[in-house]
Each structure stands twice: as structure tokens, then as C-alpha cells.
Amino acid sequence: MTEEIPFLGLKGTYQELQDELDAAYKRVMLSGWYILGSEVEAFEKEFAAYCGVNHCIGVGNGLEALSLILHAYGIGKDDEVIVPANTYIASWLAVSHNGATPVPVEPDEYTYNINPSLLERAITPKTKAIMAVHLYGQTADMDPINALAAKYHLKVIEDAAQAHGALYKGRKAGSLGHAAGFSFYPGKNLGAFGDGGAVLTNDTHLAELVRKLRNYGSGTKYYNDIIGFNSRLDELQAAFLRVKLPRLDGWNERRRKIAALYQEGLRQTSLIQPIIPEWAVPVWHLYVVRSENRDLLQHRLYEAGIHTMIHYPIPSHLQKAYSPMQLTQGAFPLTETIQSEVLSLPIGPHLSPADHARIVKTVCEILT
């Protein structure tokens, strides 16, 4: 029987770091302090330094990171936030949770990130922010986005949930706008062993406000200055993330090597492969190819014991949750085409050379 290749094997992380992760677990358990303690404080300082910003605030998850940023900026009812049409729905949900309206913009055909040349026509007097998503681990083209935002006095918020360590012109994701939201979902390049997220910013006022918002609106226990939420990075998850953070660059480099091998091994096939602008150094959270026969290809790979995923099968504007916006099929044709063709191949840092070679060989056999 052919051994199956999972889309992402998370056990390898624990096997590689078992002793250190076990020690981190014991350190937290023996401390007797499990909410907003020394581990969260230390991780916040370490991750802020890694990304090159002044402030990191650990929160419950990536969606809440984005929601809290918008809330702290006072963006809500009757406001609009420009978002990519081609993204995971969480980018839109953060806007909706604050009562604002997501205004979708089509992607660049080659990078799949929001197209800066289409942004200005989407701006109205109600626009308050642009949310730039660094999809699949490659940054959006931030210079023109920031220039346009400055022209219209808009906030720029990075959805960096897939871009831990990604570079744009030498600067890390998370340092490229006014504020950024990260996710530490287990499958991310820097993932916890449960949910987690963070807000990064150089804005001291915003950082202080988010710190209060995540903790019931309180800066001092039992003194509640504002109406807040309960969205706190877990002390245990912070300890695990501290073990993994020093390995992040090495793991990202493994992903780059796998991506380069895919690029070479699949270049003679009919697949549309990722294109990397000269200003980008992606971290390959996902390796996404496109095929007009995507569903058949995925089925044949599954039959061969190779697991793949589709990121994402239904565009946000066609989801039932957003039916009140009355955005019908054809409203964003490029996004719809992309999401009908994309297929993500395995690319985790613990993918073995033998498994990678088997994936390439099988894809080539299917497509010839």
C-alpha cells in the first residue's frame, strides 16, 4: 500500500523540538501563572524585535488581531475598508465585526495580492483604511499602497497571517503599514499548538489601546477604562512560540528550497506556477499552482496518496455570509477564475526530499 503524504505534517515540529517544548510546558505549569504572564511579555518583545517594530500585543487569534486594530482606530458603522477580493474570508470578517463595510478590489494577475493600480477608484469619502493581505506568504506591493493611503489620509493595515518572516524590499512583514495582524494558527509558518495572534505596530497610542481592549478594557486589574474584549494570547502558547521563533528563518529557508525544486521540476508542465517580483522574498506559507483541470488533478493526486488543499474554493463575495452585499457571480472575474483553478501542494518545512520528489513525479505523470 502506498504511504500517504499529508498536506502538512505538524508532528515533525514536535519531534524536532520535543525536549525544548516539553521544558517550556513544564516551565509554565510550574510557574502557577497562566494568563498574561512573563512568557507572553517575553514573546511580545522578541517578536516585535524580529519584525522590526516597537510594539507587539499578543491576542487570541489572527481574526481578533485585525478586528482589534480596526476597533482601536475607531473604524465602524458607515465606514469602508478596502480589502482584497482574493483572500481568506477572515480579512472581510474583521471589517464586518466592527460594523464597517468591506470594499473588495481585484488582485494582481501574477502575484494574487491586491492590485495597487485599482485601489484609487475604490476610495470614497467613507473609506478609512486599506487592508493589504500578504497572501500565500508573499507580501503585497506596499510602496504604492502606502503612497495612496498617505494621499487620502487612510490607515494601512497588514493582514500578515501567512507571512511570518516575509520580506518586502528588505523589510519584514508586520513593519510595512500602520499596524499588522498575525495569526499563530498551528499550520502557519510560526504556529502555536492552538490558536493565537498578535498586533504589531510602531504607534504607541494604538498599542496601549489594544492592550486594554484585549483585556476587558483594563490596564490595571478591576479598573476598566473602556469597553473591551477578552482576547489574550495564552501563556502556554507564548512559551511554545518562544521556542519556535529562533527556528523560523531556518524553516522558511527550507520552504524556499522546496519551492525552488517545485519551480524547476514542474516548469515543463501546463501548470501556472507562482511568480516572484524582484522586491519580494516570500516565505512560502503555501505553494499554489493553477490548472484549468484543478479538480481532476487533485482527485488523481489523492488517488496516489498525495494530499492537497484548495485555498480558497469560494470567493468571499460569493459566500452566503455576504449575500446581503448582492455581489453576484462575475462581479470579480479574476478572483473567481483564480479560485476555480488554484491548488496548494505540500510544502511544510518537514517535507522529506523523497516525498517531494514523489509529488513532482506524480504531477508530471498526471499532466503528460
Side-chain angles (χ1 to χ4, degrees), residues 32-48:
W33 194 286
Y34 308 119
I35 299 290
L36 292 185
S38 60
E39 299 290 345
V40 170
E41 183 178 354
F43 174 72
E44 289 174 339
K45 292 178 180 177
E46 292 160 4
F47 194 55

Side-chain angles (χ1 to χ4, degrees), residues 62-63 66-67 83-97 102 131 133 135 159 162 311-323 325 339:
L63 171 56
L66 297 172
S67 295
V83 296
N86 185 47
T87 185
Y88 182 54
I89 197 171
S91 310
W92 290 42
L93 292 176
V95 178
S96 299
H97 283 173
M131 185 176 291
V133 180
L135 199 64
D159 181 341
Q162 300 183 1
H311 296 88
Y312 301 95
I314 304 174
S316 297
H317 69 277
L318 297 179
Q319 295 281 2
K320 184 178 180 180
Y322 283 99
S323 57
M325 292 181 68
Q339 296 196 11

Side-chain angles (χ1 to χ4, degrees), residues 167-172 176 279 281:
L167 295 177
Y168 175 78
K169 298 183 179 180
R171 297 171 57 202
K172 282 197 174 75
L176 306 173
W279 41 257
V281 181

Side-chain angles (χ1 to χ4, degrees), residues 269-312:
T269 70
S270 59
L271 295 175
I272 299 175
Q273 294 204 72
I275 293 175
I276 314 304
E278 61 181 3
W279 41 257
V281 181
V283 292
W284 299 103
H285 173 62
L286 299 171
Y287 190 86
V288 180
V289 296
R290 287 171 56 191
S291 171
E292 293 181 356
N293 298 310
R294 185 267 310 281
D295 293 343
L296 177 60
L297 175 59
Q298 183 179 42
H299 178 69
R300 294 283 302 277
L301 286 169
Y302 180 78
E303 288 182 327
I306 298 169
H307 293 239
T308 60
M309 290 190 70
I310 297 171
H311 296 88
Y312 301 95

Side-chain angles (χ1 to χ4, degrees), residues 68-223:
L68 290 173
I69 292 169
L70 292 165
H71 190 87
Y73 277 136
I75 296 172
K77 188 175 183 296
D78 297 326
D79 294 331
E80 295 177 349
V81 177
I82 295 175
V83 296
N86 185 47
T87 185
Y88 182 54
I89 197 171
S91 310
W92 290 42
L93 292 176
V95 178
S96 299
H97 283 173
N98 282 280
T101 300
V103 177
V105 168
E106 287 270 58
D108 177 270
E109 183 178 0
Y110 301 104
T111 68
Y112 309 139
N113 281 318
I114 198 166
N115 190 334
S117 68
L118 303 178
L119 287 174
E120 192 160 21
R121 71 187 68 173
I123 295 173
T124 74
K126 294 183 177 182
T127 307
K128 295 296 187 292
I130 300 170
M131 185 176 291
V133 180
H134 305 317
L135 199 64
Y136 309 151
Q138 179 169 290
T139 60
D141 190 0
M142 296 302 296
D143 280 355
I145 293 172
N146 282 318
L148 190 66
K151 177 180 177 181
Y152 288 94
H153 307 290
L154 307 175
K155 297 298 183 184
V156 176
I157 300 165
E158 297 174 73
D159 181 341
Q162 300 183 1
H164 311 71
L167 295 177
Y168 175 78
K169 298 183 179 180
R171 297 171 57 202
K172 282 197 174 75
S175 69
L176 306 173
H178 293 98
F182 280 87
S183 167
F184 303 123
Y185 182 78
K188 304 298 185 183
N189 291 44
L190 180 63
F193 291 89
D195 268 324
V199 171
L200 272 69
T201 185
N202 284 317
D203 183 336
T204 299
H205 176 71
L206 178 73
E208 291 175 352
L209 194 52
V210 171
R211 287 190 190 280
K212 289 182 179 180
L213 285 171
R214 73 170 175 184
N215 192 37
Y216 299 102
S218 173
T220 303
K221 193 168 185 176
Y222 298 133
Y223 290 83

